[in-house]
Amino acid sequence: MAIRTYGLSGSGMDVDQMVRDIMSARREQYDKLWQKKTQLEWKKTDYNTMYNTIQNFRNTTAFNYRLSSTTIPKTVTSSAESIVTATANADAANVSRSINVINLAEGAKITSGQIGSGAIKDSLVSQLNLAEGKFNLVISDGVGKETIEVDPTKSIYDFVSDLNKSGLKIRASYDAALDRFQISTTGTGKDVAIDFGETTDPAGIDFLTDKLKLDIARVEGKDAKVELDGAEITHSGNTFTAFGVTYTLKAKGEANIHVSADNGKAVSAVKDFIEQYNSLLETINKELNEAKYKSYMPLTNEMKGALGDSQITQWEDMARSGLLRNDSTLQSLIYRLRNDIASPISGIAGKYNSLSSIGVTTGKDYLEGGKLYLDETKLKEALEADPDIVNKLFGSSGEDRSTQGVAVRLYDSLKSAMDNIKETAGVTSTIKGDTESTLAKQIRDYEDSLDRMNDRLAQMEERYYKQFNAMELALSKLSQQSNWLANMFSSGN
């Protein structure tokens, strides 16, 4: 940078202000380029918001409504809920079944007699009068086995902790008030057990039988045993599934289980779909119809300096408005969504072959942008005629679009829109990590241009200062010469 010596001539020129004024005009092109880059950054953020909104609807609503568990809800009643309760999935037949619970599944358990220990329980030595010296126990849960090292200088609670941390499916405990020790399996069924049979250390056997008062014979669990419509079923647990119905056994005895379609839940499911679909539609249409204020460009720092905070907020709200107005990707998605909803599903017999046939229709006001409404009476009539109709209309998986259910169509349409947005704007709100999208590439091009332009402007500014510096030096010399001549003439007189 050259030395700036302006002001020596006494010209009175404000060189800094003059350079700023000149550069201000030169920077207009830079500012316009920066505004265009900022608009693209805002647009990328708006696209990212839309991508996330569409993805969320696709991964939850559209995905779930392809599943029969969503569209064929079942209700199950038990004549004796104290004996057995049940739930049913969509595959369960609407029938009644009889169940006789003969045995509940049980785990293995052994409980000691009263140990008769001493009052001091800080170690097994003091509590049970054990001799010092470590020994080993081998315990099995019926599947695996572990060797437990017992240290008599530690307490019975440490021994309990070692058993529980062994990795076996057992649970040990000691109740000081009852002065009893207990081990039980965490699972149930005939394959679980508590078995000390491989313990060979005499000190270990004496500890178990004489000190803890345990019967160390192998103890096994029991399977649940039921008769379902006369067929005998055994299971290791008290919960099992048969023919799409999950039974939870609670006590011995008999009960009748009745499975039927839950039309009330089916109506609620359709209502929920309409609410979520309308919310998505409203969000997309808002972006498509948002006003665009072309005269409002992003504010530079210099422009912000002349405005108040509220003015800046209002200006930037208008500058950011309408960046996705009439966007072709979103318009195409709206068209496909409405077509997916309105088109009949080929291959469904009878009069109920479209959403409109079961009472799901768009409003008559075109300005609502395809908002859905429900005629509950019509939907209930359709469900009475065919309890599976909602599943057929939403979840049918045909080979082509005409035979696919609404949710299946929507799932594909939403993916297509997401792919288009990804190609245009990526899947992030900034260009970080985005090297492929169209907007990211354009933004980086702008950044490169701005960097080059900024370098040129800096060089230009330096050149102006050098010119003014040279002018000031010249004026200073001229002033000095003029003063010398004036003094010479004055001396001559």
Side-chain angles (χ1 to χ4, degrees), residues 286-421:
K286 181 180 177 181
E287 289 292 334
L288 286 171
N289 300 320
E290 194 172 50
K292 174 69 175 174
Y293 304 96
K294 293 183 179 180
S295 59
Y296 285 80
M297 298 293 287
L299 294 170
T300 64
N301 289 333
E302 186 176 351
M303 295 167 68
K304 288 180 180 179
L307 300 174
D309 290 343
S310 61
Q311 291 174 310
I312 291 173
T313 300
Q314 184 178 8
W315 183 290
E316 291 195 336
D317 284 344
M318 297 180 76
R320 296 193 69 149
S321 177
L323 295 178
L324 297 182
R325 181 178 176 83
N326 297 328
D327 179 78
S328 60
T329 296
L330 297 183
Q331 284 182 323
S332 176
L333 175 59
I334 288 290
Y335 173 80
R336 290 194 65 175
L337 293 181
R338 296 182 67 173
N339 189 56
D340 292 342
I341 291 289
S343 299
I345 290 82
S346 301
I348 298 180
K351 65 178 182 179
Y352 300 116
N353 62 356
S354 66
L355 288 191
S356 61
S357 69
I358 63 170
V360 181
T361 57
T362 56
K364 296 180 180 180
D365 188 348
Y366 179 79
L367 296 177
E368 290 183 326
K371 183 178 180 180
L372 296 180
Y373 290 89
L374 174 64
D375 183 337
E376 277 193 50
T377 301
K378 204 169 183 179
L379 174 57
K380 289 176 181 177
E381 289 175 356
L383 287 167
E384 288 296 327
D386 184 355
D388 294 342
I389 191 59
V390 173
N391 178 63
K392 293 176 182 177
L393 292 176
F394 279 90
S396 293
S397 54
E399 294 183 357
D400 54 41
R401 202 164 189 80
S402 67
T403 57
Q404 292 173 344
V406 169
V408 179
R409 295 171 179 172
L410 292 177
Y411 194 76
D412 292 341
S413 294
L414 294 165
K415 180 61 166 60
S416 177
M418 288 167 58
D419 288 343
N420 289 337
I421 292 176

Side-chain angles (χ1 to χ4, degrees), residues 196-322:
F196 288 98
E198 294 189 38
T199 299
T200 58
D201 192 327
I205 295 174
D206 179 69
F207 171 66
L208 292 170
T209 58
D210 184 54
K211 303 302 183 183
L212 293 185
K213 305 292 193 300
L214 290 175
D215 181 354
I216 61 172
R218 178 183 175 93
V219 178
E220 297 180 345
K222 295 179 180 179
D223 282 346
K225 184 178 180 180
V226 303
E227 288 181 348
L228 185 63
D229 288 344
E232 186 175 291
I233 296 174
T234 59
H235 197 271
S236 61
N238 288 314
T239 298
F240 69 95
T241 300
F243 304 109
V245 179
T246 299
Y247 300 88
T248 300
L249 310 179
K250 297 182 176 181
K252 295 180 181 181
E254 297 182 359
N256 291 316
I257 301 296
H258 181 68
V259 181
S260 60
D262 193 333
N263 289 349
K265 284 186 179 179
V267 171
S268 295
V270 174
K271 284 183 177 179
D272 289 343
F273 171 82
I274 290 173
E275 180 180 351
Q276 293 165 46
Y277 176 85
N278 285 343
S279 177
L280 174 68
L281 210 62
E282 182 181 1
T283 301
I284 299 174
N285 281 323
K286 181 180 177 181
E287 289 292 334
L288 286 171
N289 300 320
E290 194 172 50
K292 174 69 175 174
Y293 304 96
K294 293 183 179 180
S295 59
Y296 285 80
M297 298 293 287
L299 294 170
T300 64
N301 289 333
E302 186 176 351
M303 295 167 68
K304 288 180 180 179
L307 300 174
D309 290 343
S310 61
Q311 291 174 310
I312 291 173
T313 300
Q314 184 178 8
W315 183 290
E316 291 195 336
D317 284 344
M318 297 180 76
R320 296 193 69 149
S321 177

